[in-house]
Amino acid sequence: MTQTTFLQYEAPWPVHSIDWCKTPAPGQQLRARSSFRLGIASFTENFQNRIAVVGLQDERVLVEDDYSEYPDFVTLCETHHGYPATSLQWQPANSLSHAWTQKSPTSELLATTSDALRVWEYSNDVPTSVSNFVGRQNTSLGGHSLTLKTALSGQSKVQSQSNGAPLTSFSWNEKAPSLIVTSSIDTTCTVWNIDTSAAITQLIAHDREVYDVAWLPGSTDIFVSVGADGSLRAFDLRSLEHSTILYETPAPKNVPPPPSSPSSTARPPTSPLLRISFNPSDSNYMSTFHMDGTEVQILDMRSPGQPVLELKVHQAPINALGWSSSEQPLLATASDDCQVLVWDLANYIQSTTSPRSAGSRLNSPRPDVKKRVVSEPVMAYSASSQVTNLAWSPLIQGMTMGNGLSTTTGEWIAIASGKQIKALKV
């Protein structure tokens, strides 16, 4: 009897944002089911959007046997969200040991961005004596709740209205889980303390909209951002008077010449950068991609200025990317070509014996490394439609079920494609 390598779920609405829980539920560390929980958010062009937590219907779907007639995932709880969530994330793994002042030790946090940064508290109050019965059909979803804890939208530095401008993304600090940095279309980034619901600092980060932001792994001071001005910039909270430009995209080709008398509001053409993500095992390396771009750029913070690697296989614009959390991380990319590609860059990335520490200052641009092109992913999956987003699971330990069957340790990728969510064992 073989193990399942493919799980699926159909949401009642198109899915945009998705994230895999970083840890088992409090008090349920020995339960296979609690490691297979996803947070998902809808994308509909109205104010009726939803967010939901979905989980395994029955642990026995992890081994292929007579349970194929059951759906793999079931909705545990959902709630109204208004505008679509531009990003949804579970609390970092380190949150379990963090000294929260405003949170129950048995609950977990999720956060979303849209017109505000919202922090949600997810609770699973099903008694352990009941939920430990393997194979119990969860027909009653009582006990699972998702409640709004706080909504944060501060006064914008660059806009006069009292409520903040729409937020495009956020990054949750793994070392200090009370810190979240958000990015906005109003050119700013804001660092929040979600435990005290206070804005620590807001800074004008780019010349145009900011599309994504990421904390440097292991640091509570340094973060990077990308935006519509085509630049990747790094900021250090200890010296906010300047930023470091790590990369600027070349000007787009085939752009019509400017008018003979350009207006005062005319902006030079740029190739926006949409996403930024650090390699968790070697934070010198980051991955990004351009709007409408089919290649992924890998940048080295020690040699800013131009990519050190470019991944070229996708045949249509890339929508999402993400690194796994294993010792030798894999990079997954998803595209409008209906493909999810997994890349092993270990042979291309030169890890130094003395890496730049998270506490050190940033280098100035030194574009002296030649770019290498990589065109051989180690895995490929074809979806039935365009893949809009993806999320890696943490490393999930192998477990023995109550029926004697067992699973092996490994990682999964969840992908969103229309209303379909598929989880693939890597």
Side-chain angles (χ1 to χ4, degrees):
M1 189 171 291
T2 57
Q3 293 180 60
T4 300
T5 58
F6 181 87
L7 301 167
Q8 57 185 336
Y9 170 80
E10 182 158 354
W13 19 256
V15 177
H16 173 62
S17 297
I18 183 170
D19 195 27
W20 199 298
C21 68
K22 310 295 194 298
T23 52
Q28 297 193 33
Q29 282 78 0
L30 301 178
R31 300 279 293 139
R33 185 187 301 172
S34 77
S35 294
F36 286 82
R37 293 172 299 146
L38 304 173
I40 60 175
S42 69
F43 183 86
T44 57
E45 294 183 0
N46 54 35
F47 198 65
Q48 304 302 316
N49 282 274
R50 312 284 291 174
I51 62 170
V53 175
V54 302
L56 285 187
Q57 164 89 325
D58 190 296
E59 286 163 345
R60 287 173 291 189
V61 302
L62 295 175
V63 285
E64 293 175 353
D65 55 9
D66 297 331
Y67 293 88
S68 56
E69 70 267 25
Y70 296 116
D72 295 328
F73 289 97
V74 63
T75 303
L76 301 176
C77 56
E78 63 174 300
T79 191
H80 174 73
H81 194 269
Y83 292 112
T86 53
S87 182
L88 177 151
Q89 295 172 36
W90 290 84
Q91 65 183 25
N94 198 33
S95 296
L96 295 178
S97 57
H98 186 72
W100 298 98
T101 62
Q102 306 288 328
K103 185 182 87 68
S104 162
T106 59
S107 66
E108 298 166 272
L109 300 180
L110 291 88
T112 57
T113 42
S114 57
D115 56 322
L117 169 66
R118 289 179 173 83
V119 181
W120 307 82
E121 196 155 6
Y122 168 69
S123 297
N124 171 14
D125 299 325
V126 177
T128 304
S129 60
V130 176
S131 63
N132 269 356
F133 178 67
V134 174
R136 168 178 171 265
Q137 288 304 309
N138 199 355
T139 51
S140 168
L141 298 180
H144 295 270
S145 64
L146 193 58
T147 54
L148 180 61
K149 184 174 167 59
T150 183
L152 304 170
S153 59
Q155 172 73 43
S156 170
K157 272 190 172 183
V158 294
Q159 292 195 340
S160 57
Q161 70 236 43
S162 58
N163 55 332
L167 303 176
T168 54
S169 189
F170 71 97
S171 179
W172 208 323
N173 194 290
E174 295 193 11
K175 189 175 179 182
S178 58
L179 296 180
I180 284 180
V181 58
T182 57
S183 54
S184 172
I185 64 168
D186 70 358
T187 75
T188 68
C189 292
T190 305
V191 179
W192 302 90
N193 181 328
I194 60 168
D195 203 23
T196 60
S197 299
I200 296 174
T201 189
Q202 184 183 71
L203 53 100
I204 297 173
H206 287 259
D207 300 329
R208 297 175 67 178
E209 298 92 333
V210 190
Y211 288 143
D212 200 14
V213 66
W215 289 103
L216 174 71
S219 174
T220 56
D221 297 304
I222 297 172
F223 64 88
V224 298
S225 61
V226 291
D229 60 8
S231 69
L232 162 62
R233 305 187 184 206
F235 300 88
D236 190 328
L237 297 180
R238 297 164 296 188
S239 55
L240 284 176
E241 59 273 9
H242 68 273
S243 64
T244 302
I245 297 179
L246 298 174
Y247 174 57
E248 288 187 289
T249 59
K253 299 171 185 173
N254 305 320
V255 174
S260 55
S261 57
S263 70
S264 60
T265 58
R267 290 169 164 174
T270 60
S271 181
L273 293 172
L274 291 189
R275 293 286 175 263
I276 185 68
S277 181
F278 278 100
N279 177 341
S281 77
D282 187 342
S283 58
N284 290 302
Y285 292 98
M286 300 165 286
S287 54
T288 187
F289 59 89
H290 299 203
M291 180 181 289
D292 298 324
T294 59
E295 300 92 22
V296 173
Q297 287 76 36
I298 307 295
L299 299 145
D300 185 343
M301 285 186 91
R302 297 162 298 187
S303 303
Q306 67 173 344
V308 292
L309 294 175
E310 195 163 65
L311 315 183
K312 299 180 79 163
V313 169
H314 283 296
Q315 302 298 309
I318 295 168
N319 294 320
L321 50 71
W323 296 85
S324 71
S325 56
S326 55
E327 286 186 17
Q328 291 213 322
L330 301 171
L331 176 67
T333 56
S335 164
D336 276 352
D337 62 9
C338 309
Q339 295 273 307
V340 177
L341 304 178
V342 178
W343 309 80
D344 184 353
L345 303 179
N347 293 331
Y348 301 95
I349 285 177
Q350 304 298 318
S351 289
T352 177
T353 53
S354 57
R356 174 193 44 72
S357 71
S360 66
R361 303 287 169 151
L362 297 158
N363 294 339
S364 298
R366 186 171 54 86
D368 56 359
V369 177
K370 291 190 175 180
K371 179 177 68 179
R372 300 169 66 187
V373 174
V374 183
S375 56
E376 295 181 353
V378 293
M379 287 178 58
Y381 171 76
S382 295
S384 56
S385 62
Q386 298 171 339
V387 183
T388 53
N389 219 331
L390 63 83
W392 283 90
S393 78
L395 193 67
I396 296 177
Q397 297 298 319
M399 303 181 197
T400 300
M401 308 290 175
N403 55 11
L405 301 172
S406 60
T407 65
T408 56
T409 297
E411 291 176 296
W412 295 69
I413 305 175
I415 65 169
S417 180
K419 295 182 179 180
Q420 294 281 332
I421 292 173
K422 295 180 170 63
L424 316 171
K425 181 80 175 283
V426 177

